[in-house]
Amino acid sequence: MAHENVSELVQQAAEHAVAYLKTVDDRPVMARASFDDMVAAFGGPVPEGPTDPAEVIDRMAVSAEPGLTAMGSGRFFGFVIGGSVPAAQAADVLVGAWEQNVGSNDYTPAVSAMEYVAGRWVLELLGLPSAASVGWVTGGMMANFTGLATGRLNVLAQHGWDVNAQGLQGAPDVYVVVGDERHTTIDLALNFLGLGAGRSHQVPTDEHGVMTVNALRSVLESVPRGAPLIVCLAAGNVNTGAFDPMGACIDVAHDFGAWVHVDGAFGLWAGASSDLRHLVEGVERADSWATDAHKWLNVPYDCGIAITAHQDAHRVAMYSRASYVPMGHAAIPDPSELVPEFSRRARGVPSWAAIASLGRSGVAELVERCCAHARAFAEALGEVDGIDVLNDVVLNQVLVRFGDSDDITRQVTGAIPADGTMLMSGTTFKGRAALRISVCNWRTTDDDVQRCVDVLARLFSEART
Ligand SMILES: *Cc1c(COP(=O)(O)O)cnc(C)c1O
């Protein structure tokens, strides 16, 4: 295959990409084709021999079209899915072309430096300690894993136990305290770390889905004093958007000798706005933090950020020695010293581009605008007879209930994908069905919000009759 074909092919793929991006504002948000349709379109036996790559790219673009859900649409409000701001979207194209396996500052200086600088920028924007260590991981899940792995290493080291050398068998018991509304990835991370999610001690949360300082204190009093201890706090409940009271909880947990990890996959971005910063007051006193750039910084998947206030422990927890890779001695860690992955793409680069293009005011504005849209949803829906907003809309999340039964709420939720105007997912909050609206995309406009409110009102009246 001739080398010169590569540039033509990349051009061809870019044209397909541009054509798709032009449809994002208007296409039905939910994919029209099913998984089975797509397996049929892409399947068949392994091709016996080569096919012209240009044909492969065309076939890919054409076949995928009906099976694409417009997750980048300004009317996609499911889960917590950010779009991609233009600079980040375009930067991702370069990340692919550059083919850098970002592991070492010496071997991949350009992308290592961009990730390093982007990490410093993120700390500054979020109001976290400027000396913190930053690892670019796949998402919030691995950011939680990295923070908790560092915590596990640290609390055991304080009891004279080297978990890297000795493992967990025979180690002092590690106590983990979590809120009963924690994100499921905290449990996954605890399982991966051999800490057993089922063994964690749960703090009951209040009607906003967050813990009070007193509730936390009483659980802390129930674990053996002086034992290795990790406390996980939530900056942004995944349903309500509410925050565990950060500073006060961190201080109490520290009084008990705990390592404090904060899951702030989307909520930590409140720190980027002077209007919202009060929600994370004191968060900078924690020991580790997990957040996602692919959520509220609006960069392409996948991009999570693992941050710790203990660079040496972070480095020891994640550092893998390979005799053929010279690294791990510099004052500034190599990128691979701070993440579980060994080889990986330069996923922090689009974050550099996003922050370079938005600036401090642009990031703040992105976050504030999403919150304003969430409040607009709550106000407009709250005015519709029979629709209730279940949460205080302190951030970007809105929980809505239709009529007075779970059934009607589920019926409205179930009718959304086929309507195609938007996507929102259902949830259960404190035992009741709700529709969950998560606003997390730079593309969302006032008009999008109004259109979606109108459709929801219509789907509700259809469900009632
Ligand atoms: C999304 C989310 C996670 C998981 O992040 P991924 O990027 O999906 O791995 C963890 N915690 C919270 C609060 C989240 O919203």
Side-chain angles (χ1 to χ4, degrees), residues 445-461:
T445 63
D446 294 344
D447 181 54
D448 285 324
V449 173
Q450 191 54 52
R451 265 178 78 184
C452 295
V453 167
D454 293 345
V455 171
L456 285 172
R458 175 169 55 75
L459 295 178
F460 177 41
S461 79

Side-chain angles (χ1 to χ4, degrees), residues 143-152 186 189-190 193 230 232 261 288:
N144 280 330
F145 173 84
T146 303
L148 292 171
T150 307
R152 181 186 70 165
I186 292 286
L190 293 173
L193 287 164
I230 296 173
C232 298
H261 174 75
S288 57

